[in-house]
Amino acid sequence: MVSDCFRQRLVLSTLSGKRVKIPNIRSKDDNPGLRDFEASFIRLLDKVTNGTRIEINQTGTVLFYQPGLLYGGSVEHECNVQRSIGYYLEALLMLAPFVKSPLRAVLKGVTNDPTDPSVDLLKVTAIPLMKKFGIDGDGLEIKVLKRGMAPAGGGEVLFTCPVRRSMKPVQLTEPGKIKRIRGTAFSVRVSPQMSNRIVDSARSILNKFIPDIYIYTDHMKGASSGKSPGFGLTLVAETVNGTFLGAEVVSTPQGQGDPVLPEDLGRNCAKLLLEEVYRGGCVDSTNQSLALLYMTLGQQDVSKSLLGPLSPYTIEFLRHIRDFFQIMFKIEQQKPGEDEQKGGEKVLMTCVGAGYSNISKTIK
């Protein structure tokens, strides 16, 4: 939780231009100070900005961060294998539209692990969400060049994003009914049959609800399969209004805990997707904070978004938005209706954008 809070504050500091001092980083722990993956994250921020000042004390328990200008351009970064590329990519998704020259980032490390959102999940849920805020065009994509499973990594991901002057306000209030389910079952350095077993078990649950299901199998071989064995499944449900709700499960990393059967993994992932559909809303739980940030940075107009129950990560993020941008959200609880809105309790988030404008964007 410390590292999530740390990451949120550094991203918001970079966007708002306000310096931030973070004291007492794990000062009560047996092993105090910054972890390697957090130091790697600071290095990545340093690469996408120009003129950032970073000061860390000798024990690594106090960090002073004075953000520079968001520059972007072509970046290559070796991510620490303690966390997956998703940990770093989530921050880049928040910063990328506001850089000076379009971002082209090559991130190397672990593509799928059990703790962070994987690259596949962000590809199928975050990209469509960004398009709703007016970030579109040919330049927006996340591409998995090589897969790398925990613990050794070896994966490679390309993320490109166009630059925008400002965000358009959105009204995401109607999630709509689920019309189809898509997914990717991947396996690296294990038998290709694993993917098929995952697909069969996931379909055995999902077929009861909807016929339009297609799960691709992705078996990478040789150099593009990374350094560790593993398999996993990413599922995404698409609604008639273009809302994407995602879920994923990855096998236990080699040498950590009990191995998992592909059949169990497929079933678990299908149940997690059903859980996500039950939570509902126009944005899935992984991307709540991304949507709220784009709403905060929008033009000075009202934005609304219907979300499922807020995750602890999102609640913390809302507090940081208040501290850095002085933007407060109006939060209305929506009780599940009799006919349409079945599922969990929803929250309608409303705010007036801060009118944030990308000052560094070059005018051609």
Side-chain angles (χ1 to χ4, degrees), residues 54-117:
I54 301 154
E55 291 170 18
I56 301 170
N57 72 344
Q58 279 185 320
T59 52
T61 52
V62 180
L63 167 74
F64 173 75
Y65 180 84
Q66 184 167 4
L69 283 173
L70 272 165
Y71 187 76
S74 208
V75 175
E76 193 167 305
H77 186 65
E78 195 75 49
C79 301
N80 192 287
V81 292
Q82 292 171 348
R83 298 294 287 258
S84 85
I85 290 173
Y87 175 83
Y88 302 87
L89 191 56
E90 274 188 306
L92 286 185
L93 290 169
M94 292 175 173
L95 299 172
F98 307 106
V99 296
K100 183 175 182 180
S101 45
L103 184 69
R104 184 183 188 279
V106 176
L107 303 175
K108 296 177 180 178
V110 175
T111 53
N112 305 79
D113 80 347
T115 38
D116 296 299

Side-chain angles (χ1 to χ4, degrees), residues 336-357:
E338 289 304 310
D339 43 69
E340 280 298 300
Q341 294 288 342
K342 291 193 171 67
E345 286 194 357
K346 313 279 190 293
V347 244
L348 183 65
M349 308 290 286
T350 314
C351 82
V352 176
Y356 184 87
S357 172

Side-chain angles (χ1 to χ4, degrees), residues 273-286:
L273 183 71
L274 296 177
E275 166 77 22
E276 197 61 59
V277 171
Y278 174 80
R279 290 167 69 101
C282 295
V283 181
D284 68 346
S285 45
T286 317

